[in-house]
Amino acid sequence: MKGLLKYGTLLTSVAVLVGCVEFKNGGEEEAPQNPQPMVDVQPMGNLVVDRTLYVFEGKIVSEEDLEFLKFKKEKEVETESKSKAEDFEFQFDDLRFEEGGVLYTMGANVRIHAKTLSSANGRIATFPEEKKAETGKNGRDGGHIFLNIGLATGALRIEMRGEAGGDGHSANEPDDRLKGPPGVDRKKGGCERGGIVLLPGEGEQGGQGLKGYPGHDGKRGGSTGTLELIVDDSAGFSHLIEKTPGQGGIGSRGGRGGAGGDGGLSNCRVGKRGPQGPDGNWGDGGNNGAPGEKQTSCVTKNKAMTCYN
């Protein structure tokens, strides 16, 4: 990671599983009835957020490192030894946001503990505003952000945003099942009269192709996620919470209509087929996906809690 990430001492991440295990006779282990999620805990010193940073699998990384790690992940084979952590916890002595600095949690469940936090209009956000799910996939929810701060100063914006839903897949292309019916053949015979070859007649025009296949619906947008902010000393601190559910994806356009049917046969071998029928109408477009929902945020300042949707 590049030098702009000003970390203090970074200890090796430790996966902690919270839960009770009871041993039966014979040493058999019984799984807990209400197992707690695994938490990947990273004790850290100081961090300055002076540009765009991301939470990725328990690490805080730059945009350049994020692309590399995503590429690396695609090449890796899943192993049993890989961390199954569901929540990520970061423990700071001092956390500082500079003007323009932003930390994206990317829909993860993130817990941040900081003895001191200072912010010059910095931001913590779930997703970038333009983040959109892949085609045919629902948008991700914002997850859960838990901020536990001792002394906070300055102004911090917290953006709870759902990922936009993916657009619908393209409609299926027309196939033989959508082809129109063939035209009626002209009745055979009547090609000659008294040794004179008559002008052959054409068969009738083919029928119109069938209506195209429907488009696919856009997918659901993600909900904002939930937030819990606790500040022990907030005398010089202000915050702004924005909630923006992810928009639903756009339904795809309906498919092209089927090809017109073949024209009917002539009454004579030298005659022409009738004209091909017209193509079918375009299929119906898919529906747009539903937006996500606004979820609860709770703020505790000086031991007074306020929750709102």
Side-chain angles (χ1 to χ4, degrees):
M1 187 176 300
K2 301 188 177 180
L4 288 177
L5 299 185
K6 304 178 181 67
Y7 285 107
T9 303
L10 174 59
L11 302 182
T12 305
S13 63
V14 181
V16 180
L17 177 61
V18 182
C20 298
V21 178
E22 180 180 358
F23 290 90
K24 298 292 186 179
N25 292 335
E28 294 181 0
E29 181 179 320
E30 182 176 296
Q33 295 196 359
N34 295 302
Q36 298 297 314
M38 293 187 72
V39 182
D40 191 349
V41 180
Q42 291 206 26
M44 307 175 75
N46 305 329
L47 173 65
V48 177
V49 182
D50 54 3
R51 57 173 173 162
T52 301
L53 302 179
Y54 300 85
V55 173
F56 182 78
E57 295 189 342
K59 301 179 178 64
I60 296 178
V61 300
S62 67
E63 190 165 9
E64 296 84 354
D65 290 331
L66 176 68
E67 294 305 315
F68 171 76
L69 291 172
K70 287 167 63 176
F71 173 79
K72 183 179 178 182
K73 181 180 178 180
E74 292 174 357
K75 302 299 182 182
E76 288 178 346
V77 178
E78 292 289 336
T79 62
E80 290 298 323
S81 61
K82 190 170 182 178
S83 172
K84 298 296 191 297
E86 300 173 13
D87 295 6
F88 303 110
E89 181 172 313
F90 302 96
Q91 300 173 350
F92 299 100
D93 292 327
D94 181 68
L95 177 59
R96 179 157 57 95
F97 288 84
E98 294 187 354
E99 183 79 35
V102 57
L103 175 63
Y104 289 114
T105 61
M106 303 306 289
N109 295 331
V110 175
R111 308 176 188 180
I112 294 177
H113 299 266
K115 295 177 182 178
T116 60
L117 179 146
S118 60
S119 176
N121 298 311
R123 294 186 295 143
I124 295 177
T126 53
F127 293 105
E129 188 174 357
E130 68 278 4
K131 194 73 176 71
K132 187 181 180 74
E134 296 177 9
T135 299
K137 292 187 177 181
N138 290 326
R140 289 174 291 176
D141 297 335
H144 180 69
I145 298 178
F146 175 77
L147 301 173
N148 187 8
I149 313 300
L151 171 64
T153 57
L156 178 68
R157 179 192 294 265
I158 304 172
E159 300 172 357
M160 305 300 295
R161 179 182 294 116
E163 184 182 42
D167 296 336
H169 285 292
S170 299
N172 295 337
E173 289 294 317
D175 51 28
D176 289 343
R177 290 177 294 180
L178 298 187
K179 188 170 183 177
V184 176
D185 297 338
R186 182 172 288 275
K187 187 177 180 180
K188 298 294 183 182
C191 298
E192 294 184 14
R193 182 178 299 167
I196 300 174
V197 177
L198 303 178
L199 183 67
E202 292 183 349
E204 293 186 11
Q205 182 181 28
Q208 183 177 14
L210 302 183
K211 187 176 182 177
Y213 291 114
H216 294 275
D217 293 344
K219 307 304 287 186
R220 176 187 61 80
S223 295
T224 60
T226 54
L227 168 70
E228 185 175 0
L229 170 63
I230 301 174
V231 183
D232 295 334
D233 187 344
S234 61
F237 176 69
S238 65
H239 71 278
L240 176 64
I241 300 173
E242 291 186 351
K243 296 183 181 182
T244 308
Q247 293 297 310
I250 299 173
S252 66
R253 182 180 181 181
R256 294 184 296 112
D262 297 328
L265 297 174
S266 169
N267 58 329
C268 303
R269 287 182 300 173
V270 295
K272 296 181 179 179
R273 275 184 172 273
Q276 184 174 7
D279 290 344
N281 297 322
W282 286 81
D284 297 327
N287 297 314
N288 292 339
E293 298 179 350
K294 290 184 178 181
Q295 295 178 296
T296 303
S297 297
C298 292
V299 177
T300 301
K301 285 186 175 182
N302 304 319
K303 299 183 180 180
M305 177 183 287
T306 303
C307 293
Y308 47 91
N309 292 325

